[in-house]
């Protein structure tokens, strides 16, 4: 018997908690009207400003007893529709599976008729959405890429750019050359082939710019005391594009216009 009483008390507490967890908003209407009057609009706007993180679960409409049952049922639904549309237009979240109902005059009426002409909105705090975890691709520096590379691997030298139709490296790309130099100094067994590629030229690499750019990187390393037997260079022109030529956009052009290093031994 005691267990049954305890169970009933527990159920009552749970039901009470559920009711308290859901808040209520009452919006009142003029007699025989479903338009939102100025007082109701002011109340709604104040409620909207104070409740940014909620979702509506139920919208119920009511009428006073004057008029036929059918008329009042329709009027109560029109009031529900007005409130629903107002909330949607103000970006209020409505919960999936929300409930709407027009009670008409079929409820326990207040003796004060103006209190019966209303819409009741039930709402609660938004439920946190499950976080979508997207695996992040870890960016690898050139040093990290070379460290794990094996013979035959190709590594693009990111952010190395040249002046237009030239083998002169733009100043902001010099840190890339410096990093490559450090890698060669720190890995005395590393041997590479420097490969140049160009974009955009449907007639081929007429001025052999790809070879000249690969040689420019080669020359930089030689001048900084990297032994020549660890280095070679070659220009491939437009024969190995990442995207078909002519390219569709500037991103494809950037991808095709590149310098890579081939790991010969590591």
């Amino acid at each position: 018997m005691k267990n049954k009483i305890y169970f009933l008390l527990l159920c009552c507490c749970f039901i009470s908690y559920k009711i308290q967890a859901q808040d209520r908003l009452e919006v009142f209407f003029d007699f025989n009207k479903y338009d939102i009057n100025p007082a109701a609009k002011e109340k709604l706007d104040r409620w909207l400003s104070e409740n940014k993180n909620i979702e509506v679960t139920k919208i119920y409409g009511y009428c006073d007893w004057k008029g036929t049952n059918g008329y009042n049922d329709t009027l109560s639904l029109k009031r529900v529709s007005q409130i629903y549309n107002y909330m949607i237009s103000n970006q209020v979240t409505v919960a999936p599976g929300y409930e709407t109902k027009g009670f008409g005059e079929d409820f326990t009426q207040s003796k004060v008729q103006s209190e019966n002409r209303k819409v009741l909105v039930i709402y609660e705090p938004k439920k946190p959405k499950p976080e979508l975890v997207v695996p992040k691709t870890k960016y690898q520096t050139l040093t990290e890429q070379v460290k794990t590379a094996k013979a035959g691997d190709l590594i693009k030298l990111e952010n190395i750019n040249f002046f237009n139709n030239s083998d002169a490296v733009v100043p902001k790309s010099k840190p890339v050359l410096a990093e490559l130099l450090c890698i060669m100094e720190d890995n005395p067994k590393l041997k590479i082939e420097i490969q140049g590629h160009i974009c955009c030229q449907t007639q081929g690499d007429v001025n052999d710019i790809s070879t000249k750019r690969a040689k420019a990187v080669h020359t930089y390393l030689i001048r900084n005391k990297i032994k020549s037997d660890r280095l070679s260079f070659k220009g491939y022109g437009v024969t190995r594009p990442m995207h078909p030529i002519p390219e569709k956009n500037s991103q494809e052009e950037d991808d095709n216009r590149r310098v890579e290093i081939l790991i010969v031994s590591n």
Side-chain angles (χ1 to χ4, degrees):
M1 184 67 181
K2 288 182 179 179
N3 288 339
K4 288 183 178 179
I5 294 173
Y6 176 77
F7 178 75
L8 289 172
L9 287 172
L10 187 63
C11 288
C12 289
C13 289
F14 177 75
I15 293 169
S16 175
Y17 169 78
K18 289 291 287 183
I19 292 171
Q20 290 173 6
Q22 292 187 322
D23 292 313
R24 302 154 61 96
L25 168 71
E26 288 184 324
V27 182
F28 296 97
F29 291 79
D30 294 329
F31 172 70
N32 203 32
K33 301 290 185 182
Y34 59 86
D35 295 325
I36 298 172
N37 61 39
K41 184 179 182 303
E42 182 180 349
K43 184 175 184 178
L44 279 167
D45 290 343
R46 185 169 61 252
W47 176 81
L48 288 169
S49 67
E50 294 172 354
N51 294 275
K52 299 293 187 183
N53 195 37
I54 57 93
E55 61 181 10
V56 172
T57 58
K58 298 178 178 68
I59 307 176
Y60 295 150
Y62 304 88
C63 294
D64 58 34
W65 56 268
K66 296 181 180 180
T68 65
N69 285 340
Y71 179 85
N72 285 334
D73 287 346
T74 301
L75 181 58
S76 65
L77 285 171
K78 287 181 178 179
R79 288 172 175 171
V80 167
S81 179
Q82 282 287 312
I83 296 300
Y84 173 82
N85 290 333
Y86 190 82
M87 290 188 171
I88 293 299
S89 68
N90 284 278
Q91 287 79 50
V92 175
T93 301
V94 177
Y98 72 96
E99 181 183 351
T100 60
K101 186 174 181 180
F103 285 90
E105 61 184 79
D106 189 18
F107 65 101
T108 303
Q109 296 254 335
S110 168
K111 292 180 180 179
V112 181
Q113 289 301 308
S114 61
E115 294 178 357
N116 297 321
R117 301 188 286 265
K118 66 182 180 181
V119 163
L120 174 64
V121 178
I122 307 294
Y123 61 97
E124 60 187 23
K126 280 184 183 177
K127 297 178 179 66
K129 293 182 179 179
E131 185 178 353
L132 179 62
V133 179
V134 179
K136 293 183 178 179
T137 303
K138 184 179 181 295
Y139 172 76
Q140 284 191 308
T141 64
L142 180 59
T143 302
E144 291 171 330
Q145 291 181 71
V146 171
K147 186 176 181 180
T148 59
K150 58 185 183 298
D153 286 350
L154 267 176
I155 300 173
K156 180 182 177 182
L157 298 183
E158 298 288 352
N159 301 317
I160 185 161
N161 298 300
F162 298 82
F163 287 104
N164 187 42
N165 202 32
S166 166
D167 61 354
V169 177
V170 299
K172 68 178 182 180
S173 293
K174 289 184 178 179
V176 181
L177 293 178
E179 184 180 9
L180 180 58
L181 174 61
C182 289
I183 291 169
M184 297 300 295
E185 290 174 338
D186 293 341
N187 298 275
K189 294 182 180 180
L190 176 63
K191 294 183 179 181
I192 62 172
E193 179 183 82
I194 304 157
Q195 300 181 352
H197 307 268
I198 63 169
C199 71
C200 314
Q201 303 299 320
T202 57
Q203 301 300 318
D205 191 2
V206 178
N207 296 315
D208 204 19
I209 295 296
S210 63
T211 301
K212 292 176 181 177
R213 288 176 175 174
K215 184 179 180 181
V217 177
H218 177 274
T219 300
Y220 171 84
L221 295 173
I222 293 293
R223 285 177 178 171
N224 285 278
K225 301 181 180 179
I226 301 300
K227 292 182 179 180
S228 60
D229 61 355
R230 298 174 58 199
L231 303 170
S232 61
F233 65 90
K234 188 171 183 178
Y236 286 92
V238 292
T239 62
R240 295 186 178 183
M242 296 177 68
H243 305 284
I245 296 174
E247 295 84 356
K248 296 177 181 177
N249 50 54
S250 59
Q251 181 60 56
E252 290 189 356
E253 290 177 359
D254 289 343
D255 289 342
N256 284 345
R257 185 196 303 116
R258 67 196 189 279
V259 173
E260 297 172 321
I261 57 172
L262 171 69
I263 305 298
V264 177
S265 65
N266 191 8

